[in-house]
């Protein structure tokens, strides 16, 4: 009986971790295909949009599929020395979130 309970717990934990990692980073090749297909905007135009919101230097970028849409997340060291995360809808360029990092 204890083995059955332990196996059930392992199975439930495994299912939970699968759900937690269901949203994935998109690789460069896939991103290029998405741009070519017109599914997302070009990375250059998305970066230009982010820098128009928070001028500075992009220090990190990730394209992810999250909540059924493609999101482009950028970390920016702003010209005034502050650090920001800007998240854009990669298909529309719409700003999802702008948040100052600590």
């Amino acid at each position: 009986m204890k083995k059955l309970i332990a196996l059930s717990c392992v199975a439930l934990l495994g299912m939970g971790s699968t759900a937690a990692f269901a949203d994935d980073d998109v690789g460069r090749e896939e991103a290029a295909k998405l741009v070519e297909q017109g599914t997302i905007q070009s990375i250059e135009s998305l970066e230009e949009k982010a820098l128009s919101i928070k001028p500075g230097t992009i220090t990190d970028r990730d394209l992810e599929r999250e909540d059924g849409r493609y999101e482009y997340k950028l970390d920016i060291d702003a010209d005034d020395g502050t650090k920001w995360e800007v998240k854009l809808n990669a298909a529309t360029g719409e700003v999802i979130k702008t948040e100052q990092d600590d």
Side-chain angles (χ1 to χ4, degrees):
M1 182 68 170
K2 287 183 181 180
K3 279 187 176 182
L4 181 60
I5 292 172
L7 288 173
S8 296
C9 289
V10 169
L12 287 173
L13 288 172
M15 288 180 358
S17 64
T18 301
F21 293 108
D23 297 337
D24 293 318
D25 285 344
V26 177
R28 288 184 179 185
E29 288 181 23
E30 185 180 353
K33 288 179 186 176
L34 292 168
V35 170
E36 187 177 301
Q37 295 167 349
T39 304
I40 65 172
Q41 294 185 13
S42 73
I43 302 304
E44 295 80 11
S45 67
L46 292 168
E47 289 183 357
E48 186 177 307
K49 170 81 175 195
L51 291 173
S52 73
I53 297 164
K54 290 295 172 192
T57 303
I58 297 171
T59 58
D60 193 23
R61 56 187 57 86
D62 291 302
L63 178 62
E64 300 175 346
R65 182 152 176 90
E66 196 166 304
D67 298 327
R69 67 180 173 211
Y70 290 99
E71 297 179 354
Y72 198 48
K73 298 177 185 178
L74 301 106
D75 292 336
I76 298 174
D77 286 351
D79 290 339
D80 65 2
T82 58
K83 296 181 183 291
W84 293 85
E85 179 184 288
V86 177
K87 185 188 299 187
L88 303 171
N89 180 315
T92 65
E94 175 186 353
V95 177
I96 298 169
K97 177 176 82 170
T98 304
E99 179 176 80
Q100 187 172 358
D101 287 342
D102 295 331

